[in-house]
Amino acid sequence: LQKIHLIFTDSDWWFDPAAEKFKDQILTSATVNLVGLIYADTLAALQASFSDLPSTLVANLSNGGTGLTATHGTSFSVSLANELAQLTKDINSGKVTTK
């Protein structure tokens, strides 16, 4: 039987008590950094007009609006780690598109 790894969303589920029984299966979490994005747009609004906002509220890997959390010691293969790293690079470069 193959071990299943989970990728949670929005916050680092490793620290969520509701995920306690899944900790050995949590590979990572895909997070959203709304605070950082809203802060950047707020600064832009204070320093310029609203029409000049840099549209940072589109969260992506390149602007730090989203990302993957640490693996917290969950064991998984080196090939899976390499695949995740390559996928991140391919998304940032535009080779892989997301919607």
Side-chain angles (χ1 to χ4, degrees):
L1 193 58
Q2 188 175 17
K3 184 175 180 179
I4 296 172
H5 291 289
L6 305 169
I7 299 176
F8 286 94
T9 61
D10 298 328
S11 64
D12 191 345
W13 276 60
W14 178 265
F15 299 106
D16 190 318
E20 186 67 36
K21 64 182 178 181
F22 304 110
K23 281 195 173 186
D24 67 329
Q25 294 176 268
I26 296 174
L27 176 61
T28 188
S29 295
T31 60
V32 178
N33 181 16
L34 290 179
V35 172
L37 296 174
I38 292 169
Y39 178 76
D41 273 355
T42 300
L43 282 180
L46 291 171
Q47 297 170 355
S49 72
F50 283 102
S51 64
D52 294 332
L53 289 177
S55 68
T56 56
L57 285 176
V58 176
N60 58 52
L61 292 169
S62 296
N63 69 11
T66 189
L68 298 177
T69 64
T71 57
H72 302 292
T74 302
S75 61
F76 54 92
S77 69
V78 172
S79 65
L80 181 56
N82 292 339
E83 193 173 331
L84 278 173
Q86 187 60 52
L87 180 59
T88 300
K89 288 178 187 174
D90 289 347
I91 291 170
N92 280 332
S93 72
K95 183 177 178 181
V96 171
T97 57
T98 60
K99 291 187 182 202

